[in-house]
Amino acid sequence: MPTETPSTTPPDRESRAGDPVRERLREQRDLALGERDAALRRLAEIEASAGYRLLALFWKLMRRLAPPGSWRGRLYRRLRGARPAASTPESFERGGNDDSVANDPWPELYAIEEQVTATHLPAVAILSTVWLLESEGQRPTQLALELARRGLPVAFCYWRWWPHEWAVQDRIDAGIVQLPIDLVLAHPERLVRAFSGHRQRIAIVAFPHPDFFELVAALHAAGWIVVYDVLDDWEEFHRVGQAVWYDEPFERHLLTGADAVFTVNDVLAERVRELGRDAVAVVGNGFRPGLEEVFSPRPLARGEVTAGYFGYLAGAWFDWALLAAAARKRPDWRFYLIGYGGAPEEITLPENVVLLGKQPQHALAAYAANWDVALVPFKPERLAAGADPIKTYEYLAMGLPVVVTGVYPPPGSEAFVTRTEGVDGFLAAIAHAARHQGADAKAARQRFAAGCTWAHRADAMLDAIDRGEQRVAEKRALMRVDR
Amino acid sequence: MKVLFVYKFLTVGGVETVLRARLDALPAHGIDGHAWFFRDLGGKSVFRGCEERIRVGSPAQLAAGLAGSGYDLVTTFDSPELFTDLSLPAGLPVVVECHSPYVENLGYLGDLRSPPVVEIWVPTDFQRGVVAARCRVPLPIEVLPNPIRQAFLDPVRPFPAPPPRPVVAWVGRMDELKNWRGFLELGRELLARRFTGELWMAGKPVEPGVAGEIRRLASEQGILPRLRWFRELPHEHLPAWIDAVRDSGGVVVSTSRGDTFGMTVAEAMARQCAVAAPAMGPFPEFVTDGETGLLLTPDKPADAAKRLLELLADGPRRARLGANARALIEERYTPEVSAKALVARLRALAATSA
């Protein structure tokens, strides 16, 4: 497949992609939407917490004791004040709300079908938990962008919290149409029949939502190569109160039937085997070249050793206790944290831990240029073990040595990424890594990262599919037309 | 001679398959065959390559088209609109082809009049009995075997990339009569007996909500992880699909409670695949237990699972059953055999009319 990929981007796409004002506006919008998503994730975490559940029980009890309309109810409301209830959807609502006509994305899908003439290239559909936000850097987004850059049409199906939310169709010129997943599930045949003139159609399922049952069956029957891209340990997410929709039998079902299964690391590959899937390939995460460039310096006060982290500061996996303890033991060091979120109430951060808040993606390299060591301090639990943080690749591309806890170094990166555990081990690893600041060491790290771009990852996936690995050859043979 | 075959729905089903085979075969016998459907429900793919001989239109449009069209005979597949909604040209003989397995659709048999109906055709002896019990007018009832499409009769070659584990497969319309639930129950019994293979289903639900019901039941019965569903598999891919089942070391099964012919089983037999079907309805007419397949006691999934597992473990036996099945289909149900029988009936009726 890569041999068939055009070597240049079509001119109209190039000119659009090169418009810096447009790119900056998109980044700002992405940032806002990213913050919204992060807030929603935080909301979901809160809802999953024991405290919230206790409160929910209390409210339930109060609704019985002080029902609306009763004098006790009125008194209770006056004392408490109104607070809207938040919801965590467990299944996709079917499309068809008031906004559905105004925002009807199907004509855009048909427009892309007509726009793409290179039918010898595969067409791709991606079922994603996230929106197409480049600044968020998530794998489904980056794969969609990378594939579109090669001229492959992409139907990017995004999960949304409420039916009135719509992604702006700002990637049509690039060959990407954005469809809400609930709408796709309401009209599966529209996606299933799309791109029927293409030599090959690939559906990448990035999360195992059980509501995909019928859609996946239809994709199989229509000859799509169904890929399950295992990005996380969803069962563990479910166990900690997120991914409330998770259903293990359905994930097994998806694994059995998928024509190809990719995981981001060996830990997830092993889990996939335990769930009954023998054939699986590891394709790690990657990074977007250019992220390592410093556009304008962002000087920071330095410590004896300066270390930093950027990314989502999720309580579910970020090891605040470890970081706080380490910082306390080394008051002359400085730890910078960039990202949405903050330490939980029970953790008091020492002064040498500095929260910089969420920063634009293009500024990350400038902040990181002040660091001696980059960190991924995740809890040593199953949730983190299943992750392959994209930031690890980004740190390496910036030339930084990396110290991780909870997660594993990407295969081949063990010389540049140190995995450790415990406060003392963490400090020792940081001190050791901080001593490796030579130009050669930095170049070696960057060379490793250069082989881990999203383009390499897309190559790995497309090549495996092109070679007919796993069950892809079987699917192709199943779909051969009348003899 | 010019013949028109009328059916109410243009979908991907058994009747369309039969009609396609007829349209392919009749020109060689000097007969000009056409087909008319009242509603297109997505079945045009069955007639790829001969689109000029099919039409979709209302009964009124058909009535207008029949006048002066030169048809010598019209046959109708369970489509009483032909008698109730339009007046046929005087003297045009009509044959009723009764293929519907749905009892509620056979009420029209009690209202048949002769003329215009001159004869009733059915695909099996079993269906002859069903029709005879409902028909008030003493009309001749002839058995005309269904043809298997040529694609299923092409030479059997090894499937290039067989599934990694044996497959027990089910094909059909996902409704109560075809009994998809029965297949899930069979799957449960197979897994309870340490079956290590996969369960494949090819079919489309007729009613909304069935997909959710399949998932719920499959999950409850513990078979969802082994289930691979192909929703609305195009008919043209079915031969290869059956080849994959065969070369996985698997079996095609039917749990149907109401077939008039058993096309999906016959198609699997044509691909030399071992089959298992209920010992009822039309199946015993071409599945001989232990010779051309297995006949299973209906609604006894545990017994069926036990017998299937024995067959799955015995490759030479599967191969023998498959070879016998293929030979039987070639003998009885090729398009040529079926066309000869059809042509003979058409000529006999033409002679009578003359």
Side-chain angles (χ1 to χ4, degrees):
Chain A
M1 211 161 317
T3 54
E4 295 170 341
T5 304
S7 56
T8 56
T9 314
D12 59 331
R13 295 185 190 180
E14 217 163 47
S15 61
R16 294 266 185 175
D19 181 345
V21 176
R22 184 184 165 96
E23 287 301 308
R24 195 52 57 87
L25 283 172
R26 178 179 280 159
E27 189 171 304
Q28 284 175 4
R29 186 214 50 194
D30 287 2
L31 198 62
L33 287 170
E35 282 177 357
R36 190 274 319 263
D37 281 354
L40 290 171
R41 281 196 295 266
R42 186 89 183 123
L43 180 64
E45 284 174 23
I46 291 167
E47 285 179 332
S49 66
Y52 178 87
R53 288 179 185 175
L54 272 174
L55 265 177
L57 272 177
F58 168 74
W59 288 335
K60 193 175 172 186
L61 189 65
M62 285 305 291
R63 275 196 294 273
R64 275 202 199 148
L65 295 174
S70 69
W71 69 268
R72 280 188 296 194
R74 283 193 292 275
L75 180 64
Y76 168 70
R77 277 166 197 280
R78 195 171 300 161
L79 290 171
R80 171 182 165 269
R83 192 180 300 178
S87 66
T88 304
E90 292 185 8
S91 65
F92 294 103
E93 287 186 22
R94 300 300 190 220
N97 56 299
D98 290 340
D99 294 340
S100 63
V101 176
N103 291 286
D104 184 4
W106 299 111
E108 309 287 0
L109 174 65
Y110 306 141
I112 288 225
E113 276 194 276
E114 286 180 12
Q115 168 185 320
V116 178
T117 52
T119 53
H120 64 286
L121 295 175
V124 179
I126 298 177
L127 303 183
S128 165
T129 52
V130 296
W131 286 40
L132 190 73
L133 303 177
E134 192 164 5
S135 64
E136 288 289 293
Q138 300 283 353
R139 177 168 166 130
T141 298
Q142 297 298 348
L143 285 177
L145 295 171
E146 178 57 36
L147 296 172
R149 271 192 283 275
R150 298 165 184 225
L152 280 65
V154 177
F156 189 88
C157 309
Y158 61 92
W159 187 89
R160 58 182 182 174
W161 285 78
W162 293 289
H164 61 267
E165 291 183 312
W166 296 92
V168 179
Q169 294 288 6
D170 59 351
R171 301 273 182 180
I172 296 293
D173 290 343
I176 303 175
V177 61
Q178 299 170 66
L179 308 166
I181 284 179
D182 54 304
L183 221 58
V184 171
L185 295 178
H187 307 281
E189 69 288 348
R190 294 185 186 172
L191 178 66
V192 168
R193 289 176 190 160
F195 308 117
S196 56
H198 282 253
R199 182 180 66 90
Q200 186 164 269
R201 297 179 293 175
I202 302 167
I204 300 173
V205 182
F207 66 118
H209 199 295
D211 282 3
F212 295 166
F213 179 63
E214 189 171 13
L215 174 64
V216 168
L219 290 166
H220 274 305
W224 288 71
I225 304 297
V226 176
V227 173
Y228 177 27
D229 196 19
V230 186
L231 311 182
D232 282 299
D233 185 339
W234 292 106
E235 187 177 26
E236 189 61 10
F237 267 100
H238 179 69
R239 198 186 62 77
V240 300
Q242 301 188 21
V244 290
W245 42 263
Y246 179 78
D247 178 53
E248 193 206 82
F250 180 74
E251 187 174 31
R252 286 174 180 266
H253 165 79
L254 191 58
L255 287 167
T256 295
D259 302 304
V261 175
F262 300 113
T263 65
V264 295
N265 62 19
D266 289 326
V267 174
L268 288 184
E270 191 49 41
R271 180 171 177 271
V272 158
R273 288 187 195 98
E274 284 168 11
L275 289 176
R277 171 79 183 201
D278 298 329
V280 54
V282 175
V283 176
N285 278 325
F287 82 102
R288 182 167 60 94
L291 198 85
E292 71 279 15
E293 288 175 33
V294 176
F295 294 102
S296 55
R298 309 268 178 149
L300 296 172
R302 308 275 304 232
E304 186 185 308
V305 170
T306 307
Y309 167 94
F310 55 70
Y312 183 46
L313 295 163
W317 58 79
F318 192 89
D319 198 340
W320 287 101
L322 171 76
L323 191 83
R328 241 178 252 113
K329 277 197 162 186
R330 293 289 184 275
D332 295 335
W333 293 11
R334 289 185 83 87
F335 295 87
Y336 289 101
L337 305 181
I338 296 173
Y340 182 84
E345 282 177 12
E346 67 270 19
I347 303 281
T348 306
L349 293 175
E351 285 184 359
N352 58 335
V353 176
V354 182
L355 300 178
L356 297 172
K358 183 144 183 165
Q359 298 297 333
Q361 203 174 31
H362 64 81
L364 294 178
Y367 284 109
N370 298 282
W371 305 344
D372 302 312
V373 182
L375 307 174
V376 185
F378 286 178
K379 292 176 185 172
E381 293 172 358
R382 186 175 146 186
L383 195 66
D388 181 34
I390 293 169
K391 64 181 89 340
T392 305
Y393 300 97
E394 294 169 342
Y395 291 153
L396 292 172
M398 292 168 187
L400 289 165
V402 185
V403 173
V404 302
T405 60
V407 299
Y408 287 86
S413 75
E414 293 80 1
F416 320 118
V417 179
T418 306
R419 182 175 196 269
T420 185
E421 57 188 23
V423 177
D424 292 337
F426 188 52
L427 289 169
I430 294 172
H432 182 264
R435 288 194 290 271
H436 288 75
Q437 298 299 327
D440 289 349
K442 181 177 178 181
R445 290 189 283 265
Q446 288 178 320
R447 268 199 306 279
F448 173 81
C452 303
T453 64
W454 288 113
H456 289 89
R457 301 322 190 200
D459 280 346
M461 294 171 90
L462 293 176
D463 286 352
I465 291 169
D466 206 38
R467 287 192 296 267
E469 289 179 4
Q470 300 190 39
R471 301 187 76 168
V472 174
E474 178 190 331
K475 172 60 79 59
R476 289 205 188 106
L478 278 175
M479 291 301 149
R480 70 178 188 267
V481 185
D482 265 1
R483 287 142 304 169
Chain B
M1 187 176 188
K2 194 173 176 186
V3 181
L4 181 66
F5 304 102
V6 178
Y7 183 44
K8 59 175 84 179
F9 302 130
L10 174 52
T11 177
V12 181
V15 170
E16 290 80 0
T17 308
V18 168
L19 284 178
R20 171 65 201 244
R22 286 182 182 175
L23 295 189
D24 286 346
L26 286 177
H29 297 270
I31 295 174
D32 187 12
H34 295 254
W36 188 293
F37 301 90
F38 294 147
R39 282 181 67 197
D40 179 6
L41 298 179
K44 278 188 175 160
S45 67
V46 177
F47 295 93
R48 202 165 284 148
C50 65
E51 291 88 347
E52 75 286 353
R53 287 195 284 152
I54 67 161
R55 283 281 307 276
V56 179
S58 66
Q61 288 171 315
L62 171 60
L66 278 177
S69 61
Y71 285 110
D72 300 297
L73 182 88
V74 174
T75 88
T76 168
F77 285 79
D78 301 305
S79 302
E81 295 89 338
L82 196 66
F83 320 112
T84 55
D85 294 2
L86 57 98
S87 54
L88 294 165
L92 179 65
V94 173
V95 170
V96 168
E97 301 204 53
C98 188
H99 284 237
S100 177
Y102 300 92
V103 174
E104 62 273 22
N105 291 347
L106 300 181
Y108 75 93
L109 289 172
D111 302 326
L112 291 182
R113 286 174 290 111
S114 177
V117 180
V118 294
E119 199 162 279
I120 298 175
W121 295 346
V122 291
T124 53
D125 282 328
F126 166 75
Q127 185 71 350
R128 186 212 298 264
V130 172
V131 170
R134 286 169 174 76
C135 202
R136 291 184 194 140
V137 183
L139 286 161
I141 304 174
E142 298 289 336
V143 175
L144 242 65
N146 274 344
I148 303 296
R149 274 193 70 192
Q150 188 56 45
F152 291 88
L153 293 159
D154 283 350
V156 171
R157 296 191 189 91
F159 188 76
R165 299 187 182 98
V167 173
V168 174
W170 184 98
V171 189
R173 184 198 291 246
M174 303 186 101
D175 65 12
E176 296 303 313
L177 202 61
K178 303 296 178 185
N179 190 23
W180 56 267
R181 282 186 176 80
F183 180 67
L184 298 189
E185 286 165 12
L186 176 61
R188 181 196 64 210
E189 295 296 334
L190 283 168
L191 264 57
R193 288 166 176 75
R194 298 174 191 273
F195 170 61
T196 57
E198 295 179 7
L199 303 163
W200 287 12
M201 296 178 92
K204 185 184 176 188
V206 180
E207 301 292 333
V210 171
E213 186 69 358
I214 294 169
R215 178 164 68 83
R216 188 185 65 75
L217 277 176
S219 187
E220 276 178 16
Q221 298 180 356
I223 64 170
L224 187 59
R226 303 282 193 86
L227 186 66
R228 202 175 190 206
W229 178 24
F230 298 78
R231 181 191 183 275
E232 208 175 355
L233 184 73
H235 195 251
E236 66 215 40
H237 296 311
L238 200 51
W241 194 86
I242 295 168
D243 287 355
V245 174
R246 182 197 62 227
D247 287 356
S248 76
V251 179
V252 168
V253 302
S254 168
T255 51
S256 173
R257 294 191 180 115
D259 260 273
T260 57
F261 178 71
M263 182 61 89
T264 59
V265 171
E267 287 170 342
M269 291 168 72
R271 293 311 301 156
Q272 217 163 302
C273 184
V275 298
M280 62 176 282
F283 296 110
E285 292 181 38
F286 57 96
V287 178
T288 304
D289 193 39
E291 290 298 322
T292 57
L294 294 187
L295 284 175
L296 306 172
T297 309
D299 299 322
K300 298 271 187 192
D303 292 350
K306 200 175 156 199
R307 292 197 64 202
L308 273 177
L309 284 172
E310 288 167 5
L311 182 58
L312 288 164
D314 191 343
R317 188 168 168 230
R318 283 197 314 276
R320 183 173 61 79
L321 294 184
N324 291 346
R326 167 86 177 194
L328 179 128
I329 296 294
E330 284 178 339
E331 181 191 326
R332 289 202 217 163
Y333 302 113
T334 62
E336 297 78 32
V337 171
S338 178
K340 274 184 190 167
L342 173 66
V343 169
R345 282 316 309 154
L346 290 172
R347 296 227 160 101
L349 286 169
T352 309
S353 300

